[in-house]
Amino acid sequence: NILLRAKNVKAQCLLLDADNDFIQESSQGLAALSSFPPTKKDLLAYDVVILGDVPPLRLRSTHEESEQALKDLKEFVTLGGGLVCIAGMLDMPRSYVGTPIEDVLPVVLGEYDEEMRIVRDNGSRPFRPLIENAREPHEIVRLEQDLEKNRLLWEDGSVGLPPQEWYWPVRKAKAGAEVM
C-alpha cells in the first residue's frame, strides 16, 4: 500500500491468487497488470520486482512460460534490475532451489531437512532482527538518525518495533552480499 501511495514511486501489483474479476492495483495513471510481464523486453522496463511467496511455475500461464520468466528475471537482475524476495511458508525461497532465481539470491540456502528443523523448533517464537553494524548502519535500516535510538528500535521490544513473527533460515550470505 505504501508503494501505491508514494508520490515518487510508480507501482503495479499482481496478485496471482485473485479472482478473475479482481482489479489489480497500480499507481494512478498506470495500467493494471493482468499477468507477469510477458516478454523479457517488457520486464526490462521495470526497475525493481518484488516477489512474494509465489510458486515459481505460476508466474505465467504455462510451466514452460514460467520457466522462461525465471530466466528473464535472472537476466533482469544480472543487468542491474532490483529483485526483492519476501520469504513465505509455502514457496519463497525453498521452491526456487534449482531455478535461475537461486543463482541471484544473496544467500545460500541450507539443506531442506535442516531448514525445516529450524522452522519447526523456532517457527512459533517471535524474534528480533539485529543490525549487523549498529555503529554505521546501512541507510535502509536507519530509522532514526541517533544511532543508539536506532539500535533500540530494532532490538528492544519495550521501546521499539514489534518482533517478527516468522523467518526462513539460511546457511549464510553469499560472497558480495551485504548483510544489513
Side-chain angles (χ1 to χ4, degrees):
N1 286 333
I2 198 166
L3 292 176
L4 292 170
R5 289 191 307 261
K7 301 288 186 214
N8 61 341
V9 173
K10 293 181 182 177
Q12 293 172 299
C13 303
L14 179 63
L15 183 61
L16 294 178
D17 286 337
D19 292 332
N20 290 337
D21 59 345
F22 178 76
I23 299 171
Q24 301 286 346
E25 297 176 293
S26 62
S27 296
Q28 187 172 358
L30 279 181
L33 290 174
S34 59
S35 66
F36 190 82
T39 68
K40 183 175 14 178
K41 181 181 177 191
D42 294 326
L43 183 60
L44 292 174
Y46 290 86
D47 295 316
V48 176
V49 172
I50 301 173
L51 211 53
D53 195 19
V54 177
L57 295 178
R58 291 230 15 248
L59 291 179
R60 292 190 179 140
S61 57
T62 69
H63 281 218
E64 294 79 18
E65 290 172 350
S66 292
E67 287 173 353
Q68 185 59 52
L70 294 169
K71 291 175 187 171
D72 293 347
L73 198 48
K74 177 183 178 180
E75 186 171 348
F76 168 80
V77 173
T78 303
L79 293 172
L83 177 62
V84 176
C85 296
I86 302 171
M89 294 180 170
L90 299 176
D91 291 292
M92 180 58 79
R94 180 49 44 199
S95 293
Y96 287 81
V97 170
T99 74
I101 299 306
E102 182 181 17
D103 296 339
V104 295
L105 291 176
V107 295
V108 175
L109 299 173
E111 296 299 321
Y112 179 77
D113 291 341
E114 168 191 352
E115 292 172 347
M116 289 312 296
R117 181 188 52 75
I118 293 169
V119 169
R120 272 193 308 276
D121 292 350
N122 299 310
S124 62
R125 277 189 261 158
F127 79 99
R128 297 193 165 285
L130 301 176
I131 296 177
E132 180 70 15
N133 182 353
R135 294 174 202 227
E136 295 181 45
H138 188 283
E139 65 183 273
I140 203 165
V141 295
R142 187 177 267 194
L143 304 175
E144 280 281 343
Q145 288 304 312
D146 180 281
L147 297 180
E148 181 58 17
K149 284 182 182 178
N150 190 65
R151 186 189 66 75
L152 289 173
L153 275 175
W154 286 100
E155 298 177 11
D156 186 340
S158 65
V159 296
L161 300 168
Q164 301 294 304
E165 296 297 326
W166 185 88
Y167 72 98
W168 188 264
V170 298
R171 183 165 288 157
K172 64 180 182 177
K174 285 183 181 173
E178 184 176 352
V179 177
M180 295 179 211

